[in-house]
Amino acid sequence: MITRLLTDTAEAARILEGGGLVAIPTETVFGLAARADDDGAIKRIFQAKGRPQDNPLIVHIAEEGQLAALCTSVPEYARRLAASWWPGPLTLVLPAADQVSRTATAGLDTVGIRIPDHPETRDILRKVGLPTAAPSANRSGRPSPTTWEAVREDLDGRIDAVFKSGPTAVGLESTVVDCTCDAPIILRPGAISLTDIQAIHPEARHRDPAEAVGRSPGTRYRHYQPEAIVRWVGPFDQATTDAASEPGEPSDRGIKKGYIGLNAPPGDYARLVIATSLEAYAHRLFHFFRECEQEGIMEIHCERVPLKGIGMALYDRISRAAG
Ligand code: AMP
Ligand code: MG
């Protein structure tokens, strides 16, 4: 299969309607899309990614009006979350209607749904006119793609097309919120934080680690990993940089290292990203992992982050990349 590079939303919509696979940009990361009512197409998503079959896909829609056909009930707080954050990086997990493909939900009776905030992709979704399943467009276990080039690195020759668009704005996947209980439970942290969700429902909480496997199967897999070893370091600030020695370890070992963080670290690095905010850190993280890989960097140091705002999502992704 030759993977085409597209810039025409009508062409992307035609391929999807015909049961093909198209990588689409969103504000979070690139997604690998197929129509959600076509089991054959959904199975090809799992094959192309090498994704375990018990890891559910998120269903993407263009308009909130498409929600009713996908789920059996929507609690009041979920409607308010949607009103506040859609289109945006928020996935709502709701009780699935019978007609939703259980291949897409990995056998679960719930379905994760969102409206992505990306003009071209919303245009594609409107033109398809059907709910579209889309997990991140990377090989399973690899860092999610934040550029169309990264999609090609992982999936060239395995999917029909990649929609060419600029780097994704957020850089980390959506916040996934279970809306099947009395109060929202965050299954996967993202750009929309617990504080944001608590503004809608004060009893919202993060899931307990023990709840993870049953409720959000995908979160148990090895994930987000570049070829290099990933390690936490710091945190550093200008006052302590001179004294700290943690990552300064032997450049004499001859191992090329990379660093990403909010502060300048001690020690020698072949590649260094000093982000000006937690959002900028998140925006660069997965791209940085891939850049390090291309430069033969064998060890990546990530500065510890405060667990506020998108910091919680950074903590989650980096901890899992570190294994
Ligand atoms: P990806 O788009 O590759 O980040 O994968 C989608 C992720 O969304 C999965 O790994 C799950 O964590 C989550 N997800 C999707 N559907 C559901 C669902 N019905 N219940 C719980 N989590 C879900
Ligand atoms: Mg993924």
Side-chain angles (χ1 to χ4, degrees), residues 54-262:
D54 59 353
N55 191 359
L57 310 184
I58 292 169
V59 174
H60 291 66
I61 55 178
E63 310 296 340
E64 209 180 318
Q66 293 174 282
L67 195 59
L70 293 171
C71 51
T72 53
S73 64
V74 185
E76 174 58 22
Y77 71 78
R79 293 219 177 272
R80 288 166 57 213
L81 287 172
S84 300
W85 297 107
W86 281 359
L90 178 69
T91 297
L92 302 181
V93 172
L94 293 159
D98 286 344
Q99 63 265 31
V100 173
S101 158
R102 294 313 194 254
T103 312
T105 68
L108 297 174
D109 286 329
T110 56
V111 56
I113 305 169
R114 83 176 187 105
I115 303 181
D117 186 12
H118 192 286
E120 287 158 308
T121 280
R122 255 185 111 187
D123 189 32
I124 294 169
L125 295 176
R126 272 196 205 98
K127 283 175 172 145
V128 178
L130 296 164
T132 302
S136 54
N138 50 283
R139 291 277 206 124
S140 204
R142 302 258 305 138
S144 295
T146 56
T147 63
W148 63 265
E149 292 96 330
V151 176
R152 283 237 290 221
E153 249 167 58
D154 275 19
L155 297 176
D156 197 20
R158 306 172 71 89
I159 63 176
D160 295 290
V162 180
F163 195 88
K164 193 175 167 188
S165 181
T168 61
V170 177
L172 299 181
E173 307 81 351
S174 60
T175 305
V176 177
V177 179
D178 184 345
C179 299
T180 63
C181 302
D182 290 341
I185 302 172
I186 297 183
L187 301 178
R188 176 178 72 182
I192 295 174
S193 68
L194 178 61
T195 314
D196 295 330
I197 311 255
Q198 282 174 337
I200 304 290
H201 196 309
E203 281 153 46
R205 61 176 176 88
H206 284 287
R207 65 163 167 74
D208 295 331
E211 288 175 323
V213 172
R215 286 189 190 275
S216 195
T219 53
R220 76 168 164 276
Y221 292 107
R222 180 177 176 273
H223 222 139
Y224 313 120
Q225 288 183 328
E227 280 159 22
I229 291 168
V230 176
R231 279 182 47 195
W232 284 113
V233 295
F236 308 114
D237 57 50
Q238 293 319 313
T240 60
T241 293
D242 291 341
S245 60
E246 191 178 358
E249 279 164 39
S251 42
D252 36 88
R253 269 196 299 163
I255 294 177
K256 269 167 94 180
K257 294 192 195 111
Y259 171 89
I260 184 167
L262 295 172

